[in-house]
Amino acid sequence: MSAATQQFASELYALTEQLYPICRSITGEGVRQTLRHIAKYIPLKIHEVPTGTRVFDWEVPKEWNIRSAFIRDSRGRIVVDFKDHNLHVVNYSVPFRGRLKLEELRPHLHSIPEHPDWIPYRTTYYRPDWGFCLPHRLLEQLAEDEYEVVVDTSLENGSLTYGECFLPGASASEVLFSCHVCHPSLANDNLSGIAVATFLAQQLGRRPARYYSYRFLFLPGTIGSIAWLSLNRDHVRFIRHGLVLTCLGDSAPLTYKRSRRGNAEIDRAATHLMTHRGLAHRVREFTPYGYDERQYCSPGFNLPVGCLMRSVHGEFPEYHTSADNLQFIHAEQLADALQFCLDLVHVLEHNAAYRNTQPYGEPQLGKRGLYRSTGGPRIDEENLALLWVLNLSDGEHRLLDIAGRAGIPFHVIHQAAEKLRAAGLLELVALPDQALEPA
Ligand code: ZN
């Protein structure tokens, strides 16, 4: 990891700490508060989509907000309190007040018997209900009693809120980064993606020049991306590459999930980088399940959008529980994921195609001071990269194609191309988002 990225490790983690206590949901003040905080780091436009707006086959739901929620026993002792942990309340619970016997209360209580100290995360977005989540150990201790239940929430006409950060580049073609902002106190599943996306946008925003334009979306899962796609239907043709960021802070190696297309440039760039990092990694094929890549990759759009994760949703025990907390994620892992994204951007920004201006025989590199003589028995990677770039720069191969065929990291191939270009041995055929002309 570069020193520059290492320096972000503590800042990335600090952002997750600041956002952790906020009770988010798919709508409501929690999302707004989160977006207002992100807006301190990057230029963020906050959009409000009114309740009832039709978005494809869905409708923007009522806005949910919560003031308090608790269960009190007959002796006046509060046994479960939203104030202690916002996972204690089933997210999107409808308002409720009443006195219930334990057996009546029980169907509204959720726990995880296998992990008796953890609080589960449950939602009831599209089915009006209420409930509490609590450690199984606590649930087992509840005595036969009459309990006072207060769920002081509101479901009213309001809006769905999402944030958008747009960084214009030389080209109108866009790279999309998307993360969900609808989970309450869960660190890996949502806050890690938010932190990496925020600092990636901040870094790219500070660059004096970008080739691509960059769009960062911070939206509630599923309904948020569906709403964005519905409101920007004509705009999506500008998206050339995209990545959903989630679960990037735990100790597992990076996982790349391919787009529905399977072999889009983003898929090839991500897998190339994974291969050359020298670290454990996993590449998964597309499935129509997971995060918002499901929406971007729905057949009507079929956008080249992959997903970057470490542990995969549903495959780690801490997933959707109170154990997905600030201790479960690590500053260095967040910084490493940010570095991967920056490396990915580097590939996309420089994946141009060139033509060798001296294609008849090898041009003499020594006289141009390009060939570094090492005297060893084997050619070194830098010299080999020069030969590969010269050989495959026939107007039909991009630098990433050359890197893949040569088995040499993209950044080495790119440096070779820059040197050859400076020496007049390469001419540009196609910028990263321009089509290659058939020879
Ligand atoms: Zn989740």
Side-chain angles (χ1 to χ4, degrees):
M1 193 186 311
S2 74
T5 313
Q6 192 65 59
Q7 147 204 339
F8 292 117
S10 57
E11 287 189 67
L12 281 156
Y13 191 82
L15 178 56
T16 64
E17 281 180 308
Q18 290 147 13
L19 297 176
Y20 183 77
I22 302 173
C23 184
R24 281 164 289 269
S25 184
I26 51 172
T27 59
E29 270 311 308
V31 174
R32 283 188 201 103
Q33 219 182 315
T34 300
L35 296 177
R36 281 197 294 266
H37 193 75
I38 296 168
K40 293 174 186 167
Y41 295 80
I42 54 172
L44 194 71
K45 184 157 191 246
I46 298 175
H47 299 263
E48 302 279 355
V49 187
T51 299
T53 305
R54 289 292 302 184
V55 288
F56 298 125
D57 198 38
W58 300 61
E59 193 174 294
V60 172
K62 291 202 158 141
E63 184 176 322
W64 184 76
N65 284 291
I66 178 162
R67 280 166 296 271
S68 71
F70 58 85
I71 302 172
R72 184 154 44 198
D73 69 13
S74 60
R75 289 183 305 164
R77 206 168 49 104
I78 289 183
V79 291
V80 181
D81 196 345
F82 168 73
K83 256 190 276 178
D84 298 335
H85 204 302
N86 58 39
L87 292 184
H88 274 319
V89 176
V90 172
N91 205 284
Y92 244 67
S93 281
V94 297
F96 179 81
R97 266 168 207 277
R99 289 184 173 279
L100 284 85
K101 292 205 185 75
L102 182 59
E103 65 194 68
E104 298 167 311
L105 182 56
R106 225 179 248 287
H108 295 277
L109 302 180
H110 308 274
S111 70
I112 316 168
E114 311 87 79
H115 297 288
D117 295 315
W118 298 356
I119 308 165
Y121 163 54
R122 295 277 186 277
T123 64
T124 184
Y125 296 143
Y126 303 104
R127 188 175 55 91
D129 195 6
W130 61 268
F132 286 84
C133 301
L134 64 164
H136 194 66
R137 215 178 287 288
L138 178 61
L139 176 67
E140 284 188 308
Q141 286 166 9
L142 293 182
E144 291 300 330
D145 197 354
E146 192 180 67
Y147 291 92
E148 180 194 0
V149 175
V150 172
V151 181
D152 187 7
T153 56
S154 61
L155 276 158
E156 288 161 356
N157 286 334
S159 57
L160 174 152
T161 314
Y162 70 88
E164 188 166 32
C165 168
F166 181 69
L167 305 171
S171 168
S173 300
E174 293 182 11
V175 184
L176 174 77
F177 287 96
S178 178
C179 61
H180 61 292
V181 294
C182 51
H183 289 26
S185 298
L186 294 166
N188 202 37
D189 184 1
N190 114 336
L191 294 183
S192 67
I194 294 171
V196 171
T198 301
F199 280 88
L200 180 61
Q202 190 193 61
Q203 287 314 297
L204 296 179
R206 286 175 180 172
R207 290 191 178 173
R210 292 172 292 269
Y211 180 70
Y212 280 107
S213 296
Y214 290 83
R215 189 176 299 277
F216 289 82
L217 297 176
F218 298 83
L219 22 81
T222 308
I223 186 73
S225 53
I226 287 173
W228 187 84
L229 285 165
S230 169
L231 297 169
N232 295 277
R233 199 170 179 166
D234 297 330
H235 189 81
V236 298
R237 63 195 165 91
F238 289 103
I239 298 173
R240 292 302 180 98
H241 319 285
L243 196 60
V244 169
L245 300 173
T246 181
C247 294
L248 291 169
D250 66 276
S251 48
L254 283 176
T255 304
Y256 178 73
K257 175 183 166 182
R258 291 178 188 273
S259 72
R260 181 178 184 267
R261 297 187 189 183
N263 202 29
E265 191 174 324
I266 186 84
D267 300 321
R268 290 185 292 115
T271 52
H272 173 85
L273 287 172
M274 290 271 184
T275 312
H276 286 281
R277 295 178 97 212
L279 297 172
H281 66 274
R282 297 175 290 189
V283 176
R284 296 268 181 112
E285 294 306 315
F286 176 78
T287 60
Y289 187 57
Y291 294 93
D292 286 322
E293 69 278 9
R294 292 156 69 165
Q295 314 311 330
Y296 302 121
C297 295
S298 56
F301 291 106
N302 196 21
L303 294 173
V305 177
C307 180
L308 188 68
M309 310 165 264
R310 290 187 181 280
S311 284
V312 176
H313 55 89
E315 295 182 11
F316 55 104
E318 296 84 359
Y319 174 74
H320 281 190
T321 76
S322 57
D324 180 0
N325 56 28
L326 292 167
Q327 285 71 53
F328 185 61
I329 62 167
H330 312 284
E332 302 70 31
Q333 294 292 81
L334 295 169
D336 177 65
L338 173 62
Q339 184 61 58
F340 185 85
C341 292
L342 288 166
D343 293 346
L344 191 59
V345 163
H346 178 265
V347 175
L348 300 175
E349 287 269 303
H350 299 289
N351 192 21
Y354 299 94
R355 187 176 285 116
N356 179 345
T357 59
Q358 308 270 350
Y360 302 101
E362 281 177 9
Q364 200 184 339
L365 297 177
K367 74 176 183 193
R368 295 179 171 88
L370 287 172
Y371 202 86
R372 220 158 40 92
S373 175
T374 53
R378 293 181 57 186
I379 183 168
D380 72 1
E381 195 175 58
E382 268 180 56
N383 286 331
L384 190 57
L386 294 168
L387 301 183
W388 273 112
V389 172
L390 283 170
N391 190 280
L392 288 179
S393 287
D394 52 5
E396 292 176 49
H397 297 88
R398 293 181 183 279
L399 294 187
L400 182 58
D401 302 325
I402 301 173
R405 183 119 170 231
I408 294 174
F410 182 89
H411 71 94
V412 179
I413 291 291
H414 173 245
Q415 276 165 6
E418 290 295 299
K419 281 187 211 162
L420 293 168
R421 234 183 134 179
L425 291 173
L426 288 185
E427 64 184 14
L428 182 72
V429 170
L431 286 163
D433 63 337
Q434 287 174 341
L436 295 182
E437 299 290 336

